[in-house]
Amino acid sequence: MTQDPSSTAVGGEEVVPSTARTLEVIDVREGMFGVHGSGDTSGYGGLQRPVAMPEASARPYGGWFDEVADRLEQVLGESVGAGAVESAVVDRGELTLHVSRERVRDVCQHLRDDAGLRFELCSGISGVHYPHDAGRELHAVYHLLSMTHNRRIRLEVAAPESDPHIASVVSVYPTADWHERETYDFFGIVFDGHPALTRILMPDDWPGHPQRKDYPLGGIPVEYKGATIPPPDERRSYS
Amino acid sequence: MGLEEKLPSGVLLTTVEGLAGYFRKASFWPATFGLACCAIEMMEFGAPKYDSSRFGMEVFRASPRQADLMIVAGRVSQKMAPVLRQIYDQMPGPKYVLAMGVCASSGGMFNNYAIVQGVDHIVPVDMYLPGCPPRPEMLIDAVMKLHTKIQDTKLGAHRVAEIAADEKVALEAVPTTAMKGLLR
Amino acid sequence: MATLKEQLWDPIAGFGVTFRTMFKKPVTVQYPFEKRPTAPRFHGRHQLNRWPDGLEKCIGCELCAWACPADAIFVEGASNTEDERFSPGERYGRVYQINYLRCILCGLCIEACPTRALTMTNEYELADTSRESLIFEKSDLLAPLLPGMEQPPHPLRLGDDERDYYSGQAAARAVAEGSVAAGPGGEQ
């Protein structure tokens, strides 16, 4: 079993992966260190960097990716109906499935139980905050491993900041319990159906969710004899 | 206050104080409070090369009730702060706190929301030790400076007066930001 | 059933380590009683260096303060005047403070300094009992006056303008006049 989908033949048949990859620009950042206008002495004022996400890939994905995608489509079509998997992205030799936030539990159930898929292990749930991706600001990312087949895939679930609710997968993967609590703690994503969704790392009475991009860095002025230096995020802002 | 009040004040009490100070500093047991990288240097301080048993400090007590000194080694997060305070409250007096490393002393380079900006916001600190992390020699040096402080600690009524005097000095102290010094 | 070796020899075999160690030299460093020198490039307390005639090398550019990851350096520069000259050139560091409670002794300030005014010594015994005593001011950080040096402010002694200092002619002249020993200019 090989892990590189681009190089190999599956079932004796040469697979040519899709090379047409487009990027979806969600934000354009200018300058550096967050300084704009005449205050910018860094020399990076003219710099423009697009923040781009790889767009959905077209079939065939290559390697065992098609096998997994076909099988998943089939079992989902039989039970929860089409539309649970919004899109699939193949980037840097890795398969990412974008799943709708209501059905992520069902998708995980099938991914774990179906003999052709068998993703037994959820090795982590993390959060990402894209403040400029309107309507999809908060992402939860699930990394799944199939020990039977030695395959890894990634699920990505998006939720808007105004309604940060995602179905919990604890009933499928018990190990997701603390991961979901951590993601809730740092990003404020509410996992519906979690047995005890409380803060895990920050103190219980902490206001806000610190890993969001708009969360202030905090800090106090550094004291000197007769003077202070303001805390870093007020002295120089990073974009 | 018992025996020392019945003794003639002055000569005898200072002798007793000196003796008590000598005993205290010669058996100065630290409570472990290793929180980050400074704890590694603190372990080296106890290990053969720097051998803290030369100063009667080889027993890092896991129980705060047997400890005289708390070496806060590492950054204290906001969530760790109440734990640290509880450990301190459980220590029997006289107790001392050594803020080891810049993170424990002032927050160091972690000037952000998650880290307590100096452990002196939670417990009274007797010795600040800069360095990131300080080498074991620096820790020994800080402990030696603490030893002189313990040697001079008073007893009974004198101690009460000393605490009141320290309190008065601390309350009247000019904050560093108000010290003008060279500034215009 | 344990063999005879396991019953008789193994329980005492471990004492061999203890016995062998008895003949080895102890590794313990007798620190407070005898001080071993640190590595020559050990990052210890900072020092503000001087030119051979006693003028300060610091020009108050604040590059060290900007390089500092912990914001542990506070610099306020001021202009030299003809009557009151602290350093060759236009500016000098009038206020220079290092907060050792924040300083992580990383040495980025040393790398940033354009005039080698700021260097680090090997001194490491820094512990103190209060916060304010660990904020070092310029007077605490300046290198001591060596023989031949003169407390600034005073006019340029070893050249006509700052170019002579920065091109190394000042140090050469100081060596020629015999006021300082040959070596890196002004650094102790």
Side-chain angles (χ1 to χ4, degrees):
Chain A
M1 178 74 54
T2 177
Q3 285 296 298
D4 185 6
S6 59
S7 63
T8 174
V10 176
E13 189 183 336
E14 189 69 28
V15 175
V16 182
S18 163
T19 51
R21 278 187 43 229
T22 49
L23 295 172
E24 185 186 358
V25 175
I26 57 168
D27 187 20
V28 178
R29 290 183 190 163
E30 289 177 1
M32 226 177 201
F33 312 115
V35 190
H36 297 284
S38 59
D40 178 22
T41 53
S42 66
Y44 287 96
L47 186 71
Q48 284 202 344
R49 286 174 305 147
V51 180
M53 308 278 283
E55 243 180 15
S57 305
R59 296 270 192 156
Y61 304 143
W64 52 267
F65 294 168
D66 289 294
E67 201 183 314
V68 168
D70 289 343
R71 182 75 197 151
L72 185 64
E73 229 166 69
Q74 190 190 334
V75 292
L76 286 179
E78 285 163 11
S79 57
V80 295
V85 176
E86 291 160 352
S87 63
V89 177
V90 179
D91 187 35
R92 294 172 175 84
E94 292 168 3
L95 176 65
T96 306
L97 299 174
H98 287 261
V99 181
S100 80
R101 56 193 176 120
E102 297 87 6
R103 307 226 194 120
V104 63
R105 204 203 71 86
D106 299 325
V107 172
C108 283
Q109 185 83 55
H110 289 296
L111 281 170
R112 187 191 73 175
D113 292 343
D114 187 80
L117 300 167
R118 279 272 189 273
F119 288 92
E120 299 103 334
L121 175 68
C122 174
S123 57
I125 300 179
S126 37
V128 200
H129 188 210
Y130 296 105
H132 299 281
D133 201 358
R136 297 163 58 84
E137 286 96 350
L138 294 164
H139 289 213
V141 183
Y142 304 68
H143 291 95
L144 306 182
L145 165 68
S146 164
M147 282 185 268
T148 311
H149 302 290
N150 191 16
R151 293 167 173 172
R152 288 173 193 273
I153 61 165
R154 186 186 297 119
L155 302 186
E156 205 164 325
V157 183
E161 220 169 59
S162 52
D163 178 36
H165 288 267
I166 290 176
S168 168
V169 298
V170 174
S171 55
V172 183
Y173 298 115
T175 180
D177 188 334
W178 285 16
H179 293 290
E180 288 188 353
R181 279 176 65 189
E182 187 187 354
T183 311
Y184 161 73
D185 193 353
F186 285 146
F187 291 91
I189 300 173
V190 179
F191 291 91
D192 297 319
H194 189 284
L197 194 67
T198 50
R199 285 185 183 275
I200 185 166
L201 290 168
M202 301 303 291
D204 293 339
D205 52 352
W206 194 263
H209 301 283
Q211 292 283 352
R212 290 200 185 180
K213 297 262 196 262
D214 49 7
Y215 193 87
L217 178 63
I220 58 166
V222 179
E223 57 176 357
Y224 291 93
K225 289 178 181 167
T228 54
I229 290 180
D233 63 337
E234 290 170 34
R235 191 159 75 86
R236 50 188 175 203
S237 57
Y238 296 100
S239 53
Chain B
M1 286 151 273
L3 179 65
E4 67 268 15
E5 292 224 321
K6 296 188 183 73
L7 294 165
S9 176
V11 183
L12 188 54
L13 191 50
T14 45
T15 317
V16 172
E17 275 169 356
L19 209 56
Y22 179 76
F23 290 148
R24 276 177 184 167
K25 80 172 190 188
S27 149
F28 197 38
W29 290 2
T32 45
F33 217 90
L35 295 168
C37 21
C38 281
I40 306 295
E41 299 295 306
M42 189 172 73
M43 289 173 214
E44 206 179 339
F45 164 68
K49 187 165 180 190
Y50 294 96
D51 204 6
S52 55
S53 63
R54 290 182 292 147
F55 322 113
M57 291 182 71
E58 73 273 30
V59 273
F60 276 88
R61 300 321 295 199
S63 157
R65 299 200 192 278
Q66 299 164 349
D68 309 304
L69 166 72
M70 181 160 68
I71 303 178
V72 185
R75 61 200 126 76
V76 183
S77 65
Q78 303 278 4
K79 194 164 181 176
M80 200 62 180
V83 182
L84 187 129
R85 179 71 214 193
Q86 185 160 8
I87 298 279
Y88 178 78
D89 288 343
Q90 285 174 346
M91 284 164 57
K95 48 193 172 183
Y96 299 87
V97 177
L98 198 161
M100 181 181 175
V102 290
C103 304
S105 303
S106 78
M109 64 185 303
F110 301 106
N111 194 357
N112 59 32
Y113 62 86
I115 303 293
V116 175
Q117 298 298 308
V119 76
D120 48 3
H121 289 280
I122 315 164
V123 293
V125 174
D126 294 283
M127 190 62 69
Y128 297 87
L129 173 58
C132 186
R135 55 190 290 148
E137 278 110 329
M138 296 166 88
L139 180 55
I140 295 173
D141 173 57
V143 168
M144 289 296 130
K145 284 172 176 164
L146 212 48
H147 277 183
T148 36
K149 194 173 172 175
I150 296 161
Q151 178 72 66
D152 298 340
T153 306
K154 299 193 167 31
L155 284 175
H158 289 184
R159 178 66 185 149
V160 175
E162 191 187 22
I163 291 171
D166 285 351
E167 183 95 3
K168 191 161 175 283
V169 169
L171 284 172
E172 286 169 0
V174 183
T176 49
T177 46
M179 292 178 181
K180 282 303 163 210
L182 278 168
L183 290 167
R184 268 184 275 254
Chain C
M1 183 61 202
T3 62
L4 204 63
K5 175 179 170 287
E6 281 170 5
Q7 280 178 332
L8 297 176
W9 173 246
D10 285 3
I12 58 164
F15 290 112
V17 178
T18 315
F19 187 71
R20 259 182 282 129
T21 315
M22 281 164 68
F23 301 102
K24 283 185 182 159
K25 216 178 144 213
V27 292
T28 309
V29 178
Q30 301 295 329
Y31 161 65
F33 313 110
E34 50 182 88
K35 289 174 190 171
R36 279 197 193 177
T38 60
R41 300 182 69 179
F42 175 74
H43 285 188
R45 190 178 67 83
H46 296 80
Q47 173 172 282
L48 284 169
N49 296 311
R50 293 176 190 272
W51 291 102
D53 62 352
L55 286 178
E56 293 158 13
K57 282 190 174 181
C58 179
I59 53 171
C61 65
E62 299 187 22
L63 280 177
C64 46
W66 277 93
C68 185
D71 292 346
I73 305 182
F74 179 82
V75 189
E76 203 178 277
S79 292
N80 284 317
T81 56
E82 282 308 317
D83 324 321
E84 216 176 26
R85 175 168 288 285
F86 289 88
S87 72
E90 282 176 31
R91 307 267 292 168
Y92 73 103
R94 196 175 62 82
V95 180
Y96 200 100
Q97 297 181 14
I98 296 183
N99 188 342
Y100 276 99
L101 288 175
R102 293 269 179 193
C103 173
I104 58 169
L105 306 172
C106 62
L108 287 178
C109 43
I110 311 304
E111 290 182 30
C113 185
T115 60
R116 293 280 293 163
L118 191 66
T119 51
M120 278 170 144
T121 63
N122 288 351
E123 192 192 326
Y124 52 79
E125 288 167 345
L126 292 168
D128 215 325
T129 51
S130 68
R131 277 192 174 221
E132 55 268 22
S133 59
L134 279 161
I135 302 173
F136 281 38
E137 284 187 83
K138 194 175 164 186
S139 51
D140 307 316
L141 294 166
L142 266 176
L145 288 165
L146 292 182
M149 290 183 177
E150 191 186 332
Q151 178 72 37
H154 63 75
L156 303 174
R157 297 268 189 258
L158 299 170
D160 303 326
D161 60 358
E162 70 271 15
R163 276 175 197 283
D164 293 343
Y165 280 80
Y166 291 121
S167 62
Q169 288 172 20
R173 194 189 290 190
V175 173
E177 286 174 4
S179 58
V180 288
E187 292 166 26
Q188 280 79 46

